[in-house]
Amino acid sequence: MTTYGTAEGAVRAAGRPRSAKAEKAIIDAVLDLMGDGIAISELTIEAVAARAGVGKTTIYRRWSNKEDLVVDAMATLKAPLPPMPGTSVRDDLHVYLGAIQREVEDPRARCVMAIAMGESERHPRLVQRVREVTIAPRRKALRAVLARGVANGELRHDLNIEIAMAAVVGAMMWYMKWPDVHEVPGDLAALVADELLAGMRAA
């Protein structure tokens, strides 16, 4: 059973054996439609089925409702983080920020995430699940990197880890959200990590 890394696991009805090709077509259809600017409230199973070239029953055999389908589709936009080397905070941040940079350079991914996050009032449960799947694991990984740095003396003992996390991610998003305004260096991840570490390192 394909779950695409959802936190809760989408509820799917039992049926005929899964087709990986059909599932990929369905997931791609959801992302393509949202990438075209279709809001979650306007997204329909009929439209997804037509875009994917499958019948509605094919979708319902795999996902019991639209919410589960959207959560699984959005989970595919966030690949698992590569292993952190653990050799230093600097090395770990380079890996972490490099993964974020590769993700946000995808225009479709940026558009889909913006649509989902912008519908938190209409679809609070769905957006919360998306956050649990796509954002929470990255926050946990970043917090662990910074906490380890504080514990081993690389970073200041009085570092506010929550503020530091916001600074790390916010600096990346500043460049990646408006690439037409700010020139994005190819080594952006390394530059951000090094600049922020200059203020976070232990004396």
Side-chain angles (χ1 to χ4, degrees):
M1 179 184 299
T2 305
T3 62
Y4 295 99
T6 56
E8 301 174 10
V11 179
R12 298 183 178 85
R16 288 180 287 180
R18 288 0 182 201
S19 162
K21 183 177 179 180
E23 289 198 8
K24 184 179 186 306
I26 294 165
I27 291 294
D28 285 344
V30 172
L31 298 178
D32 286 343
L33 288 167
M34 293 182 68
D36 289 343
I38 303 298
I40 294 172
S41 56
E42 299 170 350
L43 187 70
T44 65
I45 295 297
E46 289 80 4
V48 173
R51 187 73 167 247
V54 301
K56 288 194 297 182
T57 54
T58 301
I59 297 176
Y60 283 120
R61 279 199 297 269
R62 294 159 171 80
W63 293 274
S64 60
N65 55 62
K66 182 176 73 174
E67 179 179 293
D68 289 338
L69 173 56
V70 170
V71 171
D72 273 9
M74 295 195 65
T76 66
L77 296 175
K78 300 286 186 180
L81 286 172
M84 301 293 179
T87 50
S88 69
V89 173
R90 181 179 185 273
D91 291 343
D92 287 348
L93 283 181
H94 283 197
V95 171
Y96 181 89
L97 293 175
I100 291 180
Q101 182 173 356
R102 287 190 294 273
E103 289 173 356
V104 297
E105 284 175 339
D106 179 354
R108 183 178 73 167
R110 289 202 306 269
C111 180
V112 170
M113 292 300 294
I115 288 173
M117 296 301 106
E119 296 204 34
S120 57
E121 291 187 4
R122 286 188 176 185
H123 305 279
R125 181 172 176 270
L126 185 151
V127 172
Q128 179 58 34
R129 289 180 62 193
V130 169
R131 286 173 176 161
E132 290 172 356
V133 171
T134 64
I135 298 175
R138 281 158 171 71
R139 286 181 54 83
K140 181 179 179 180
L142 180 56
R143 183 180 290 107
V145 168
L146 297 177
R148 185 165 60 249
V150 171
N152 67 20
E154 286 184 78
L155 303 181
R156 301 194 331 258
H157 68 87
D158 61 345
L159 181 70
N160 184 317
I161 290 181
E162 289 298 317
I163 296 297
M165 290 170 59
V168 169
V169 177
M172 288 294 293
M173 303 317 305
W174 174 261
Y175 278 94
M176 304 312 299
K177 189 172 183 180
W178 297 288
D180 55 333
V181 176
H182 306 289
E183 182 178 353
V184 181
D187 56 348
L188 177 63
L191 291 173
V192 168
D194 290 343
E195 189 64 29
L196 292 176
L197 282 174
M200 293 192 290
R201 282 196 179 96

